[in-house]
Amino acid sequence: MKFTSVFDIIGPVMIGPSSSHTAGAARIGRVARDLFGRQPKWATIHLYGSFAETYKGHGTDVAIVGGLLDYDTDDERIKTAFFEAEQAGMTYTFLPETAHTDHPNTARIVLGDDDGEMSVVGISIGGGKIEISEVNGFKLHLTGGMPTILVVHDDRAGCIANVANCLAMHEVNIGHMEVSRIERGLTALMVIEVDENIDDRIIEQISYIPHITKVSKMNT
């Protein structure tokens, strides 16, 4: 196994008893909020495997809620996230599930407000590290370790090139890109990891490109 830094070995600075069940859970919640693009008004959290079995004792529940409130893993407010959520007007429901998943520490978060909703599936793989494996039914592989742009678009020729050209015009380098679609000719999703945090003006320009229906970003 290759470690890229000392933090891969000792795990992150965090609030809570478990890097997988607390720090990882908080990061899943926070990435879901980032991808949604704003503070949700409500969230339904489906828990699988060991998350479902131990979420209260290991603080997985309070950690996910803290992440949805945009708290980092070392934020002391995670301890009082339920109270903070009430103050922010965000409601939440936890649903332990019995269905089998590929990884034992899996959460599906459905979050939304009056203007829309989003579904995000995340897994905590240990040491506070996570992977986002699905967004709104699209399969993907997202670690949250690099600034990322998600572009929902019509499955039409030229969309990928137009987005890449827009980023190149602003001298934004693409480190990794994935494209997936549920069915040919309908809706597709670009997941673009880049080398630097993305300015809101660039996101706005991408949103004006023909056949682009939604753009969200996740800075680090």
Side-chain angles (χ1 to χ4, degrees), residues 16-83:
S18 166
S19 60
S20 294
H21 286 239
T22 308
R27 284 181 171 162
I28 292 171
R30 196 178 191 198
V31 168
R33 183 195 186 282
D34 285 346
L35 295 178
F36 186 60
R38 54 193 181 274
Q39 179 65 58
K41 286 190 175 180
W42 55 267
T44 302
I45 302 115
H46 303 263
L47 301 174
Y48 301 86
S50 61
F51 266 6
E53 296 167 0
T54 63
Y55 71 98
K56 291 183 179 179
H58 284 186
T60 304
D61 50 359
V62 71
I64 289 178
V65 170
L68 291 171
L69 293 169
D70 202 28
Y71 300 162
D72 205 349
T73 55
D74 61 349
D75 196 316
E76 290 286 340
R77 292 176 295 176
I78 285 180
K79 296 177 181 178
T80 57
F82 290 166
F83 172 77

Side-chain angles (χ1 to χ4, degrees), residues 28 31 35 120-122 130-135 140-143:
I28 292 171
V31 168
L35 295 178
V120 176
V121 177
I130 68 166
E131 291 180 3
I132 301 301
S133 60
E134 182 181 311
V135 174
L140 53 92
H141 175 76
L142 175 62
T143 65

Side-chain angles (χ1 to χ4, degrees), residues 169-189:
M169 183 176 62
H170 291 280
E171 299 185 342
V172 175
N173 188 50
I174 297 174
H176 177 77
M177 175 187 282
E178 295 180 16
V179 181
S180 62
R181 59 188 181 185
I182 297 175
E183 186 175 343
R184 180 179 178 180
L186 297 180
T187 303
L189 173 70

Side-chain angles (χ1 to χ4, degrees), residues 40-213:
K41 286 190 175 180
W42 55 267
T44 302
I45 302 115
H46 303 263
L47 301 174
Y48 301 86
S50 61
F51 266 6
E53 296 167 0
T54 63
Y55 71 98
K56 291 183 179 179
H58 284 186
T60 304
D61 50 359
V62 71
I64 289 178
V65 170
L68 291 171
L69 293 169
D70 202 28
Y71 300 162
D72 205 349
T73 55
D74 61 349
D75 196 316
E76 290 286 340
R77 292 176 295 176
I78 285 180
K79 296 177 181 178
T80 57
F82 290 166
F83 172 77
E84 303 291 346
E86 182 180 356
Q87 296 300 302
M90 185 184 77
T91 61
Y92 52 86
T93 304
F94 286 92
L95 298 176
E97 305 285 2
T98 58
H100 175 74
T101 55
D102 292 336
H103 194 281
N105 299 331
T106 299
R108 177 186 295 273
I109 303 176
V110 182
L111 64 163
D113 58 17
D114 296 339
D115 297 320
E117 67 178 60
M118 174 178 283
S119 173
V120 176
V121 177
I123 62 175
S124 178
I125 60 177
K129 293 181 175 294
I130 68 166
E131 291 180 3
I132 301 301
S133 60
E134 182 181 311
V135 174
N136 285 350
F138 291 98
K139 302 297 183 181
L140 53 92
H141 175 76
L142 175 62
T143 65
M146 294 180 66
T148 304
I149 308 167
L150 273 73
V151 183
V152 180
H153 60 98
D154 298 332
D155 188 21
R156 303 286 184 86
C159 281
I160 297 171
N162 288 337
V163 171
N165 287 337
C166 180
L167 294 174
M169 183 176 62
H170 291 280
E171 299 185 342
V172 175
N173 188 50
I174 297 174
H176 177 77
M177 175 187 282
E178 295 180 16
V179 181
S180 62
R181 59 188 181 185
I182 297 175
E183 186 175 343
R184 180 179 178 180
L186 297 180
T187 303
L189 173 70
M190 292 181 233
V191 180
I192 307 168
E193 293 184 341
V194 296
D195 291 344
E196 59 194 78
N197 286 334
I198 303 299
D199 189 274
D200 288 337
R201 291 173 297 176
I202 300 176
I203 297 299
E204 185 177 8
Q205 286 185 26
I206 294 173
S207 70
Y208 291 146
I209 295 174
H211 303 300
I212 302 298
T213 58

